[in-house]
Amino acid sequence: MKIYFCCTDFKAEPWLAALRTALPQAEIEVWTPGAGPADYAVVWAPPQQFLDEQPQIKALFNIGAGVDALTQLRLPPRTKLVRLDDAGMSVQMAEYVVHALIRHFREFDVYAADVASGKWSFRKPRLREDFPVGIMGLGVLGQRVVRAVQQFEFPVRGWSRSSKELPGVRCYAGEAQFAEFLAETKVLVCLLPLTEETRGIMKRETLSLLQPGGYVINVARGAHLVEEDLISLLDSGHLAGAALDVFRQEPLPAGHPFWRHPKITVTPHTAARTLRDESVAQIAGKITALEQGKPIAGVVDHLKGY
């Protein structure tokens, strides 16, 4: 069994060592143009040339939660595209969202600004029931975030493409229920996969439906958000702020208005980082299952894009 590692922006050697330990029976190498055929590949943003040269690949394992970069390429028709189910990312995502939510709800950002100017201040406590949290995307990551938010007793709404039922969550599904979901939401969290249907989903028309004083947390993809519309709604006062971890262009350009906007908190795409050991264990387990003819989780539906 031969496996290629084809991941841009990742140091290959630590991954190769971990994969060889987990799959000692396999031949594992970094892919180079013109290399011979392999059975499987571990990838992140591979070039189209790799896919064109490897039409026989049984499965591509993407070392990240999002597969939008891969679905835009021409994939071999019989190749499975497999995403990580979790691999340590869901708890990181939950940490990030809860931190951003509580920082805004408790107005810790306001306290920090006051302290920096030497001011001893007091803010009137706010009620959790006035801050319903709406989570877009109820997959593995979304459901973990739901459970974390519930621990702090905020009302939780959920929206997904297909119907879901989650304990303690008022769930909405599909385009027909999207406006109602937004109207029930004050803090909007985006955890959607990026598809043609979800690209630009957070725009003036949709964000305007959030409750006045709404707050946006985007930890999915920058292309979900129409950046100019967010700034306009922040400046008008309809939205109170935003915590953004992902952007249309990364790294965020030095002159981008998000850097200096007083109502926006920027982090450098660090809400949930790929954890190598957890990822390798999951990939090795799935390759072993496929070799034994067993089904695996995380296979991407090419029509849906996730």
Side-chain angles (χ1 to χ4, degrees):
M1 177 170 58
K2 188 165 188 175
I3 302 171
Y4 280 136
F5 183 83
C6 183
C7 301
T8 56
D9 300 325
F10 282 82
K11 291 182 179 179
E13 284 307 318
W15 283 87
L16 294 176
L19 285 164
R20 287 165 180 160
T21 299
L23 295 164
Q25 75 281 17
E27 180 184 352
I28 304 171
E29 300 176 356
V30 173
W31 173 79
T32 55
D39 301 289
Y40 300 98
V42 177
V43 302
W44 178 256
Q48 183 63 52
Q49 181 182 358
F50 169 75
L51 299 172
D52 292 342
E53 290 184 2
Q54 300 289 325
Q56 77 297 323
I57 287 273
K58 300 175 186 177
L60 299 170
F61 292 88
N62 190 53
I63 57 173
V67 295
D68 46 282
L70 278 166
T71 57
Q72 295 174 29
L73 299 174
R74 296 186 307 276
L75 298 174
R78 289 182 292 277
T79 299
K80 289 182 172 66
L81 175 55
V82 186
R83 54 176 169 74
L84 295 176
D85 301 320
D86 183 341
M89 286 185 282
S90 68
V91 68
Q92 295 179 69
M93 199 70 81
E95 289 170 344
Y96 185 100
V97 170
V98 168
H99 177 272
L101 167 64
I102 293 176
R103 180 176 180 270
H104 171 64
F105 172 69
R106 292 288 303 275
E107 299 184 272
F108 289 141
D109 52 343
V110 178
Y111 284 120
D114 286 349
V115 168
S117 63
K119 181 180 178 182
W120 185 275
S121 62
F122 174 78
R123 311 289 294 184
K124 182 180 178 180
R126 304 198 282 195
L127 302 177
R128 283 170 176 77
E129 54 262 37
D130 293 336
F131 284 78
V133 179
I135 297 173
M136 297 195 298
L138 298 175
V140 172
L141 299 182
Q143 292 184 35
R144 182 64 182 87
V145 171
V146 164
R147 295 197 300 273
V149 171
Q150 287 176 321
Q151 289 296 309
F152 292 91
E153 302 180 10
F154 289 91
V156 181
R157 320 297 187 220
W159 183 81
S160 54
R161 174 174 173 164
S162 55
S163 297
K164 298 277 177 66
E165 291 186 9
L166 300 175
V169 180
R170 188 179 301 172
C171 291
Y172 301 84
E175 185 177 350
Q177 295 183 323
F178 191 42
E180 184 181 358
F181 160 77
L182 292 169
E184 286 281 324
T185 294
K186 189 153 190 173
V187 179
L188 181 67
V189 180
C190 183
L191 281 158
L192 292 168
L194 181 61
T195 65
E196 287 308 308
E197 290 74 26
T198 65
R199 187 179 300 274
I201 194 170
M202 291 186 290
K203 54 188 176 182
R204 180 184 300 276
E205 292 80 3
T206 54
L207 295 178
S208 295
L209 297 176
L210 295 176
Q211 296 176 7
Y215 194 81
V216 174
I217 302 172
N218 189 15
V219 288
R221 286 290 185 267
H224 285 123
L225 176 67
V226 179
E227 297 178 346
E228 300 80 5
D229 290 355
L230 173 68
I231 291 175
S232 176
L233 290 168
L234 289 170
D235 291 345
S236 73
H238 180 71
L239 295 180
L244 307 176
D245 187 57
V246 289
F247 308 92
R248 287 182 177 269
Q249 183 179 346
E250 296 182 4
L252 190 65
H256 197 286
F258 282 175
W259 284 115
R260 61 181 183 272
H261 199 289
K263 295 182 179 180
I264 295 176
T265 298
V266 168
T267 52
H269 203 144
T270 193
R273 304 295 297 272
T274 300
L275 301 180
R276 184 174 58 248
D277 291 345
E278 288 84 346
S279 300
V280 167
Q282 188 178 130
I283 291 168
K286 290 185 177 186
I287 288 177
T288 300
L290 288 173
E291 286 294 288
Q292 296 172 352
K294 297 178 181 178
I296 60 171
V299 177
V300 173
D301 183 323
H302 289 264
L303 294 178
K304 294 181 178 179
Y306 59 89

